[in-house]
Amino acid sequence: MAQKFFITTAIDYPNSRPHIGTAFEKIGADVQARYRRMEGLDVHFLMGNDENTVKVSRRAVELKQEPKPYCDDMAHQFKEVWRALDINFDDFIQTSEPRHHAGCQKFIQKVFDNGHIYKGHYEGWYCDGCEGFKTKKEVDEAGGVCPDNKTPVILRKEPCYYFALSKFRDQLLDFYAKNPTFIQPETRRNEVVTLVQTELRDVNITRAGETWGIKVPFDPEYTIYVWFDALLNYITAIGYGVDDTWFNKWWPADIHFIGKDITRFHCALWPAMCFAAGIEPPRSVFGHGFVYIKKDDASIAEKISKSLGNVIEPMEIITKFSSDAFRYYFMRECPFPGDGEFSWSRFAASYNSDLGKNLGNLLSRVTTLIVKNFDCVLPGTAGQAPAPIVVDLADVIKQVQGHMEACQYNLALEKIWRQILDPANQYAEKNEPWKLVKTDKEATKPILYNLSEVLCVAAILLKPVLVRSAATIYRTFNFTQPWEAVRYADVCARPAQAEDLRVVAELDKGKVKPLFPVIQ
């Protein structure tokens, strides 16, 4: 039986369509899911929308709709964008679904029965934008506004139920010590540990007087507050309280992908909730960075914001270029553990340099020469081992795998370009098969065969990132293994070419269609 691997992303507020910063997280999670599937793991990849929020119900009212139909329509729009980006999720949960409501009510009842919830009165600074309470220290340090949204906060007073989070301080600190890889990347760890050591307080987990949301089972006058509700999607989607077999198969999650701004909720509140309910906490939480917008190379990088008018929707890039161009840019130019920047000029430069003039040009050169001069087939190559172009290929593959597993996708792609594709292009420039073929076709064959092997290697390694293009490259030739079955391990241990190497892609005017046309 294959080892299981459960991946989740943060669920999104559907008060507006997803932007490129939201897509950054989803692509990063999808790359990891695809890589783990290639490695033979049984992967379950969960995404979803966070719908039981005041801002969602307000948005529905603005559009003169009921909340549920509004949420369903937005879920359709979100999934449409994710599919356009080739994000291959296994499940998409809406927190307005009955399965989520049922699981949440069972969970909060369990925590209440275990003695970790009590009734009280709350007074504190509250931000409507992120639907979260802020400490006086946070508000003061931000100049009297929400430190995350930079919008005014309000002093909110209300009766409520508290989750006794402070009771779990020592258990959390012990958990961090015994599980040093729980908080990823390492730079997020100190922030969370300091918070738990110095500022861990009981938290308000209910709202009074709300009609939209999940009713508290032991006091229906209250609805469950957004974080105590939203975090539970990770377990309600896999059958918590409803299907024990399914839940026990997948839980605990192997990795939660989230934005760095919600690390404290996932690394402090969430594991404490798990302790309180008697279930294992997740195995790791990865807090990725943000994408900032630059209008041009000289401008200041800005946080994505509707008020600044700098929101860019993924479909705008996909329509102009391709899903693979989108995926490549954000995984290569925006380090997943840290922050990245997007500008149209930088996008064009990266696309042309790496995709158009490097990978795309190499494929065009090799296929054009084989089609034009050898009638699509290199005779005598069946069973032949190509000469290695890449030095220490096995070591390069091992390094790429390490970067992929650490979610350092930019470093993995850098390694593939600098140590695999660059040497191949240099090999081509040195041997000039486009000139040699005019005088010595026989001597040209091994050169083209060797270059085709590099394209095969690159396609396999890029399979989790360039979903469509990697498949196109591989299927341009009659490589022996089926594309669906290739793994990273096959790069250095593939079976010999069963038949003479052949270009089998459909031709357009005697050529293979350009993979990445250069942006002029």
Side-chain angles (χ1 to χ4, degrees):
M1 181 180 294
Q3 179 185 343
K4 72 93 180 173
F5 201 84
F6 182 27
I7 295 177
T8 76
T9 67
I11 52 177
D12 302 306
Y13 290 134
N15 58 319
S16 62
R17 285 171 59 84
H19 54 65
I20 59 174
T22 316
F24 176 56
E25 173 179 288
K26 313 313 179 193
I27 296 169
D30 182 69
V31 169
Q32 191 66 208
R34 288 178 180 275
Y35 168 75
R36 298 291 179 170
R37 289 189 191 108
M38 282 183 70
E39 293 299 284
L41 276 64
D42 185 9
V43 173
H44 190 67
F45 178 19
L46 172 68
M47 292 170 57
N49 278 355
D50 185 4
E51 299 172 342
N52 301 319
T53 68
V54 172
K55 66 173 69 176
V56 167
S57 59
R58 284 177 181 167
R59 180 60 178 157
V61 169
E62 289 173 8
L63 297 174
K64 296 180 172 57
Q65 296 183 31
E66 290 297 317
K68 181 57 177 169
Y70 168 79
C71 289
D72 291 346
D73 177 63
M74 289 303 293
H76 173 76
Q77 293 186 45
F78 270 70
K79 287 188 278 189
E80 185 178 54
V81 173
W82 302 148
R83 290 182 178 123
L85 281 168
D86 293 307
I87 295 170
N88 189 23
F89 53 86
D90 296 294
D91 192 5
F92 188 97
I93 188 167
Q94 296 176 240
T95 59
S96 62
E97 290 182 61
R99 60 171 170 162
H100 182 69
H101 281 229
C104 278
Q105 289 182 320
K106 289 187 178 182
F107 185 93
I108 197 171
Q109 186 69 56
K110 177 73 170 177
V111 176
F112 180 77
D113 293 343
N114 288 347
H116 303 302
I117 293 175
Y118 62 92
K119 196 169 186 178
H121 187 89
Y122 189 86
E123 178 177 330
W125 294 108
Y126 180 80
C127 172
D128 267 333
C130 55
E131 300 201 42
F133 286 94
K134 310 297 175 180
T135 65
K136 185 176 184 302
K137 179 182 177 182
E138 289 176 321
V139 173
D140 289 344
E141 288 179 350
V145 298
C146 170
D148 298 319
N149 288 316
K150 310 303 180 188
T151 53
V153 292
I154 59 173
L155 188 62
R156 186 163 172 166
K157 304 177 183 180
E158 61 186 36
C160 68
Y161 282 91
Y162 279 94
F163 171 56
L165 178 59
S166 61
K167 290 169 52 176
F168 295 93
R169 178 180 289 106
D170 291 342
Q171 191 172 355
L172 284 168
L173 293 172
D174 182 62
F175 176 71
Y176 302 151
K178 291 178 178 177
N179 299 274
T181 60
F182 171 67
I183 303 171
Q184 296 290 331
E186 180 67 24
T187 51
R188 314 270 184 252
R189 180 180 172 82
N190 291 340
E191 172 192 343
V192 174
V193 171
T194 299
L195 170 73
V196 172
Q197 288 174 332
T198 62
E199 296 185 44
L200 198 68
R201 297 180 178 87
D202 296 351
V203 295
N204 173 9
I205 61 168
T206 62
R207 283 198 178 98
E210 297 289 344
T211 58
W212 174 249
I214 304 172
K215 296 295 183 182
V216 174
F218 48 82
D219 194 339
E221 291 185 9
Y222 295 86
T223 55
I224 303 173
Y225 171 62
V226 60
W227 280 106
F228 211 84
D229 155 16
L231 289 163
L232 294 176
N233 90 90
Y234 302 130
I235 59 174
T236 60
I238 53 170
Y240 176 83
V242 177
D243 187 338
D244 290 343
T245 300
W246 188 244
F247 175 73
N248 292 331
K249 174 181 179 178
W250 293 111
W251 192 256
D254 292 274
I255 187 165
H256 291 318
F257 286 107
I258 60 163
K260 64 180 181 180
D261 55 329
I262 55 175
T263 304
R264 59 178 179 165
F265 296 106
H266 283 76
C267 296
L269 175 58
W270 179 221
M273 288 167 59
C274 293
F275 296 149
I279 65 173
E280 285 186 68
R283 289 181 177 147
S284 68
V285 176
F286 192 99
H288 63 78
F290 293 153
V291 175
Y292 293 89
I293 299 294
K294 294 188 75 173
K295 294 178 182 177
D296 53 58
D297 292 338
S299 65
I300 298 173
E302 301 172 330
K303 188 173 181 179
I304 298 174
S305 167
K306 284 185 180 179
S307 61
L308 293 174
N310 62 7
V311 173
I312 299 173
E313 289 199 14
M315 296 304 291
E316 185 176 352
I317 300 175
I318 297 169
T319 303
K320 289 181 179 178
F321 302 100
S322 68
S323 59
D324 278 349
F326 187 110
R327 291 170 67 97
Y328 178 78
Y329 179 86
F330 285 97
M331 294 299 96
R332 176 66 182 88
E333 298 296 327
C334 301
F336 201 63
D339 296 329
E341 297 175 355
F342 176 86
S343 70
W344 287 105
S345 59
R346 185 172 173 182
F347 178 89
S350 173
Y351 173 98
N352 281 341
S353 175
D354 290 354
L355 299 178
K357 297 178 181 178
N358 190 314
L359 176 60
N361 186 53
L362 181 63
L363 177 66
S364 293
R365 278 180 161 179
V366 173
T367 55
T368 298
L369 287 170
I370 294 175
V371 170
K372 183 179 178 180
N373 298 281
F374 298 92
D375 196 22
C376 294
V377 61
L378 290 179
T381 50
Q384 296 297 310
I389 293 176
V390 180
V391 177
D392 297 326
L393 180 60
D395 185 58
V396 173
I397 304 310
K398 185 177 180 181
Q399 292 179 54
V400 172
Q401 286 181 296
H403 291 318
M404 292 293 287
E405 290 169 12
C407 304
Q408 297 171 328
Y409 308 126
N410 61 316
L411 298 182
L413 292 169
E414 171 78 8
K415 187 72 63 176
I416 293 168
W417 255 258
R418 300 291 83 85
Q419 294 194 241
I420 294 175
L421 290 171
D422 281 356
N425 279 290
Q426 291 162 6
Y427 173 86
E429 291 294 335
K430 178 181 178 181
N431 288 279
E432 298 183 314
W434 47 89
K435 291 183 179 179
L436 183 62
V437 75
K438 296 175 182 178
T439 59
D440 193 340
K441 290 181 65 174
E442 197 63 28
T444 307
K445 284 195 304 183
I447 297 171
L448 297 177
Y449 187 48
N450 296 340
L451 289 171
S452 72
E453 175 66 14
V454 174
L455 287 166
C456 175
V457 168
I460 294 173
L461 296 180
L462 292 171
K463 186 176 181 179
V465 182
L466 302 185
V467 177
R468 302 187 189 193
S469 302
T472 296
I473 293 169
Y474 193 89
R475 289 171 172 153
T476 294
F477 304 93
N478 63 330
F479 295 127
T480 301
Q481 284 180 292
W483 174 243
E484 293 77 13
V486 296
R487 300 182 181 184
Y488 273 35
D490 296 326
V491 170
C492 295
R494 289 189 304 110
Q497 185 67 27
E499 301 175 345
D500 287 341
L501 185 74
R502 179 184 297 272
V503 173
V504 294
E506 183 179 348
L507 303 181
D508 180 17
K509 297 179 181 179
K511 294 184 178 181
V512 172
K513 186 177 178 180
L515 194 59
F516 296 106
V518 172
I519 302 171
Q520 301 299 330

